[in-house]
């Protein structure tokens, strides 16, 4: 499934088009719908930050989804002051003001009672999960990232280019 194309803004107010503007050959996107879900997001954020240090090809983004035409509450940007906001938000947070139900339908999400995570490769969802990070989910994600990196390394070093004869 292709990740839906939509626009939002980053924590600095710059326009971002998803999934085009997302960095990383493999990108983990964590989608939340309510402020109370921020604690669920934090388990993924810490793990993703560790993965970013280990895997150069990996990137991470948090999507905070608000309703179309609505404004996100001030608390979603960190509370009282802009300085406070920048400290409380992940650098890769993107705010979306969309038709929530249509967006959920495009992603195959039923309801907004928990967070959802999507691993993207070339704008396509290759793995998904719902809720808090579990050891099983973490292990599966690490394995996918390691496998992808190993395949890329073999390809870039010429291993696997069979069929060429020495001259």
């Amino acid at each position: 499934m292709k990740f839906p194309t939509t626009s939002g803004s980053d924590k600095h107010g710059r326009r971002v088009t998803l999934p085009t503007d997302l960095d990383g050959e493999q990108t983990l996107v964590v989608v939340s719908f309510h402020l109370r879900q921020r604690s669920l997001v934090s388990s993924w954020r810490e793990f993703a930050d560790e993965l970013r240090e280990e895997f150069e090809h990996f990137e991470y983004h948090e999507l905070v989804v608000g309703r179309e035409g609505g404004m996100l509450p001030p608390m979603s940007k960190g509370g009282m002051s802009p300085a406070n906001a920048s400290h409380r938000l992940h650098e890769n947070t993107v705010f979306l003001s969309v038709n929530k139900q249509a967006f959920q339908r495009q992603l195959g999400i039923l309801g907004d009672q928990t967070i959802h995570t999507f691993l993207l490769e070339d704008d396509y969802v290759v793995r998904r999960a719902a809720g808090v990070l579990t050891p099983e989910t973490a292990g599966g994600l690490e394995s996918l990232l390691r496998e992808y990196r190993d395949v890329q390394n073999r390809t870039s070093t010429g291993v696997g280019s069979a069929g060429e004869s020495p001259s």
Side-chain angles (χ1 to χ4, degrees), residues 52-108:
R52 287 170 69 192
E53 289 183 25
E54 183 177 348
F55 299 100
E56 291 179 11
H57 71 279
F58 174 76
E59 198 51 65
Y60 169 74
H61 293 274
E62 296 174 14
L63 303 185
V64 179
V65 180
R67 64 183 163 74
E68 189 172 36
M71 291 192 53
L72 291 167
M75 287 298 291
S76 70
K77 293 193 175 184
M80 309 256 210
S81 71
N84 191 18
S86 357
H87 293 301
R88 296 184 72 188
L89 291 176
H90 192 274
E91 185 61 34
N92 293 346
T93 299
V94 177
F95 298 97
L96 301 180
S97 178
V98 297
N99 177 320
K100 276 183 166 184
Q101 291 175 334
F103 187 68
Q104 290 167 347
R105 224 178 2 262
Q106 290 173 313
L107 289 172

Side-chain angles (χ1 to χ4, degrees), residues 2-154:
K2 190 167 183 359
F3 195 84
T5 300
T6 188
S7 294
S9 58
D10 67 12
K11 79 175 211 169
H12 304 291
R14 292 182 296 248
R15 186 173 173 81
V16 177
T17 301
L18 303 175
T20 310
D21 291 342
L22 300 180
D23 297 328
E25 295 171 43
Q26 287 186 306
T27 305
L28 183 67
V29 176
V30 177
V31 180
S32 65
F33 299 96
H34 301 285
L35 292 176
R36 67 179 179 269
Q37 295 172 339
R38 299 305 292 162
S39 61
L40 297 174
V41 172
S42 67
S43 68
W44 285 95
R45 179 185 307 128
E46 293 167 15
F47 180 63
D49 284 341
E50 291 172 16
L51 293 176
R52 287 170 69 192
E53 289 183 25
E54 183 177 348
F55 299 100
E56 291 179 11
H57 71 279
F58 174 76
E59 198 51 65
Y60 169 74
H61 293 274
E62 296 174 14
L63 303 185
V64 179
V65 180
R67 64 183 163 74
E68 189 172 36
M71 291 192 53
L72 291 167
M75 287 298 291
S76 70
K77 293 193 175 184
M80 309 256 210
S81 71
N84 191 18
S86 357
H87 293 301
R88 296 184 72 188
L89 291 176
H90 192 274
E91 185 61 34
N92 293 346
T93 299
V94 177
F95 298 97
L96 301 180
S97 178
V98 297
N99 177 320
K100 276 183 166 184
Q101 291 175 334
F103 187 68
Q104 290 167 347
R105 224 178 2 262
Q106 290 173 313
L107 289 172
I109 295 173
L110 299 174
D112 60 3
Q113 297 309 306
T114 192
I115 64 170
H116 294 268
T117 57
F118 301 90
L119 181 63
L120 307 180
E121 287 178 17
D122 297 322
D123 302 341
Y124 284 87
V125 176
V126 295
R127 181 66 59 100
R128 61 186 303 155
V132 70
L133 178 67
T134 65
E136 295 80 20
T137 306
L141 182 56
E142 276 183 293
S143 177
L144 279 172
L145 295 177
R146 197 170 293 109
E147 189 176 306
Y148 183 91
R149 179 190 60 199
D150 293 347
V151 166
Q152 296 304 318
N153 286 343
R154 281 195 300 272

